[in-house]
C-alpha cells in the first residue's frame, strides 16, 4: 500500500480556534456589512484570507528570535541575513524593509519617473499602486492562457514575449526603467513562470537595454514548479534553481511574509552598487537605518533561517502538496477551480460556480459570504470589488476572472482542515441554485474599495435566474 501523505513536522505549540454556529456567523457577517475584511479573527474558524504573514515559524526560527541582535547599527542579525540572501539568491547588495510594499516604495523611488512604463506579468496591487502613484504605467504582458481557468498550461504565470516586445519597441529605453517578473504570478492565480520564459524575457530585454527585476514574494514556490514541471530541472536542487533564476536579473523586491516564513518583513536585493547607493537614501528616509530597515534584529534572524527552510524540497513538497490536496478534493466534488492549482492558494471560479448571478452583483464576494456562513472559513474576493472603478469614467471595471481565493497559510493548518474546507464548499455548491441574490454597494472608498466597502443584499431575485 502506498503510504499516505503526512505533514513532515510535529506540533510543539497550539493555538485554539473557536467553533461557532451558523446563526452567530449570519449575525456577524451582517454586522461586518458583508465585508470579510471587517470580521474579527476570533469569528473566523479557518482563515484563508491570505498566506501573507500568517504562517507558523519553526522551533529553529524561534531559537533565532531569542538570540537576535537589536543593535541600531551593525547588528549581527543583519549580517547573518545579508549573507544568507547573498548565498541563496546571489545579490551582493541588500537592504531590509518592513514588508514587500516598502521595498517597492524604496526601489521605485530610486528608479521610476513620471511618464515611465513598467511591463510585467500581472503586477501585484501594491506594486501597481507604487508605479501609478509615480504617474507611470504598469503594462500587463501575461500570456492569454492565464485568463482562462480551464486552460491547462504548466507555466500560466509566463510573460507573452510578443506583448513584451510590442511595449519595448513602442517606448524609448529611457522610459522603461525595468521589466518586472513576479514569481509566482499571484494575480493570475499563484501561477509559476518557467526558467525558459525568464531566460527569454531577459534576452529580449537586454536587446533593448532594459534591465529585468523580480518581485520574489513566492520565489521558492516558483522554483518548486520549475523542478517538478520543466524539462531539465528534475535533478537540480531548489537552491540551484533559485540561484539560476537570479542570474537573469539585476535585482528584486521581496515580501518576506510569504516565502520568508516570517510574520513581517521584506527586503531589496541588488547587483549594482550605484543603484544600491541611490536606494539607500530612500531606505533611511522611509524605513530605517540600513542595518535594520524597519525590522527588529530578532525578526531579521528568524527570516534568515526561514529562507533556508523555504528553499528545501521537503518543505515545498509538503506546502504545495497541501494546496494540491485541497484542489483535488474540490475537483472531485465538481467545484470549478483554476487549473492547474496555484502554489499558495486555490482559486474558485465564481463565474462558473454561480453563473446565474450577474457580475454587477459581485458573485465572488457572494460566494465568499456563503462559504463563511456555511463554515466559518474566510476566503477573499479577487474580482469586481477588487477591480475598483475606472478612474476616468467611474464605471465598475469587470475583470475577466471573478475568483474566490482560498490562500493557505504555511505550516498552519492540517489535512483535516483541508477536508473541512472542501466539504464546506461542496455544501455551498450543492445549494448553488438557491443563491439567487447578490449584493449591492452601500458605501465605497474612491480607491482600494474592497478593504472598507459596505454591502447589502440585493432585494430582488436577479434577472439572470428568471430568464
Ligand atoms: N508582491 C506580491 C506578489 C504580493 O503577493 C504581495 C502581497 C506584495 C508584493 C506586497 O507585499 O504585503 O509584504 O507589502 N500579497 C499579499 C496577498 C498581501 O494577500 O497576496 P507586502
Amino acid at each position: 500500500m502506498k503510504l499516505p501523505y503526512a505533514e513532515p513536522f510535529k506540533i510543539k505549540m497550539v493555538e485554539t480556534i473557536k467553533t461557532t454556529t451558523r446563526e452567530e456567523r449570519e449575525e456577524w457577517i451582517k454586522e461586518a456589512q458583508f465585508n470579510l475584511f471587517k470580521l474579527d479573527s476570533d469569528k473566523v474558524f479557518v482563515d484563508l484570507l491570505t498566506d501573507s504573514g500568517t504562517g507558523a515559524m519553526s522551533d529553529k526560527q524561534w531559537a533565532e528570535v531569542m538570540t537576535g541582535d537589536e543593535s541600531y547599527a551593525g547588528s549581527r542579525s543583519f549580517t547573518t541575513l545579508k549573507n544568507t540572501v547573498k548565498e541563496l539568491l546571489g545579490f551582493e547588495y541588500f537592504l531590509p524593509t518592513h514588508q514587500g510594499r516598502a521595498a517597492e516604495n524604496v526601489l521605485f523611488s530610486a528608479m521610476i519617473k513620471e511618464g515611465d512604463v513598467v511591463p510585467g506579468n500581472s503586477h501585484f496591487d501594491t506594486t501597481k499602486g507604487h508605479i501609478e502613484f509615480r504617474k507611470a504605467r504598469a503594462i500587463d504582458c501575461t500570456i492569454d492562457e492565464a485568463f482562462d481557468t480551464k486552460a491547462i498550461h504548466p507555466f500560466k504565470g509566463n510573460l507573452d514575449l510578443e506583448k513584451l516586445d510590442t511595449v519595448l519597441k513602442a517606448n524609448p529605453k529611457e522610459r522603461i526603467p525595468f521589466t518586472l517578473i513576479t514569481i509566482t504570478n499571484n494575480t493570475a492565480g499563484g501561477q509559476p513562470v518557467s526558467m525558459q520564459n525568464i531566460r527569454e524575457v531577459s534576452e529580449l530585454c537586454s536587446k533593448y537595454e532594459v534591465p529585468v527585476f523580480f518581485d520574489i514574494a513566492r520565489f521558492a514556490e516558483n522554483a518548486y514548479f520549475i523542478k517538478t514541471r520543466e524539462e531539465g530541472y528534475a535533478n537540480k536542487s531548489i537552491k540551484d534553481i533559485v540561484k539560476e533564476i537570479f542570474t537573469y536579473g539585476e535585482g528584486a523586491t521581496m515580501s518576506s511574509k510569504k516565502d520568508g516564513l516570517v510574520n513581517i518583513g521584506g527586503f531589496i536585493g541588488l547587483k549594482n552598487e550605484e543603484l544600491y547607493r541611490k536606494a539607500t537614501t530612500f531606505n533611511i528616509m522611509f524605513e530605517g537605518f540600513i542595518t535594520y530597515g524597519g525590522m527588529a534584529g530578532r525578526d531579521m534572524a528568524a527570516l534568515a533561517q526561514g529562507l533556508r527552510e523555504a528553499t528545501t524540497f521537503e518543505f515545498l513538497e509538503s506546502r504545495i502538496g497541501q494546496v494540491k490536496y485541497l484542489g483535488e478534493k474540490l475537483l472531485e466534488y465538481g467545484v470549478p477551480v483554476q487549473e492547474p492549482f496555484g502554489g499558495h492558494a486555490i482559486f474558485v471560479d465564481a463565474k462558473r460556480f454561480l453563473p446565474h448571478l450577474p457580475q454587477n452583483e459581485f458573485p465572488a464576494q457572494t460566494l465568499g459570504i456563503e462559504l463563511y456562513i456555511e463554515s466559518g472559513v474566510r476566503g477573499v474576493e479577487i474580482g469586481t470589488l477588487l477591480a475598483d472603478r475606472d478612474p476616468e469614467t467611474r464605471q465598475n471595471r469587470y475583470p475577466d476572472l471573478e475568483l474566490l481565493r482560498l490562500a493557505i497559510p504555511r505550516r498552519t493548518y492540517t489535512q483535516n482542515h483541508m477536508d473541512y474546507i472542501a466539504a464546506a464548499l461542496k455544501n455551498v455548491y450543492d445549494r448553488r441554485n438557491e443563491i439567487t441574490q447578490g449584493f449591492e454597494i452601500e458605501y465605497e472608498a474612491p480607491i482600494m474599495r474592497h478593504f472598507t466597502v459596505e454591502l447589502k443584499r440585493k432585494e430582488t431575485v436577479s434577472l439572470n435566474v428568471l430568464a
Side-chain angles (χ1 to χ4, degrees), residues 49-52 98-102 104 124 126-127 182-187 215-218 253-258 265-266 344 380 405 407:
L49 189 72
T50 180
D51 64 320
S52 179
H98 80 272
Q99 64 182 85
R101 67 199 69 184
E104 291 162 0
F124 182 68
T126 60
T127 321
T182 300
I183 51 175
T184 55
N185 185 330
N186 181 9
T187 311
D215 173 345
I216 60 169
R218 300 177 182 86
T253 57
M254 170 72 173
S255 168
S256 307
K257 303 170 75 173
K258 286 86 169 173
H344 68 294
V380 72
R405 185 181 79 169

Side-chain angles (χ1 to χ4, degrees), residues 81-145:
L81 178 56
K82 178 184 180 323
N83 291 343
T84 305
V85 168
K86 170 137 194 251
E87 182 196 320
L88 293 176
L89 314 183
F91 293 116
E92 190 68 41
Y93 300 99
F94 168 81
L95 286 168
T97 63
H98 80 272
Q99 64 182 85
R101 67 199 69 184
E104 291 162 0
N105 189 30
V106 169
L107 185 68
F108 296 1
S109 293
M111 295 192 78
I112 299 180
K113 303 179 302 299
E114 183 171 340
D116 284 354
V117 296
V118 181
N121 53 336
S122 315
H123 314 66
F124 182 68
D125 318 4
T126 60
T127 321
K128 201 168 171 197
H130 275 296
I131 293 169
E132 292 178 351
F133 179 72
R134 290 169 173 82
K135 300 197 164 54
R137 271 185 311 139
I139 302 181
D140 187 9
C141 299
T142 309
I143 57 170
D144 290 337
E145 286 88 336

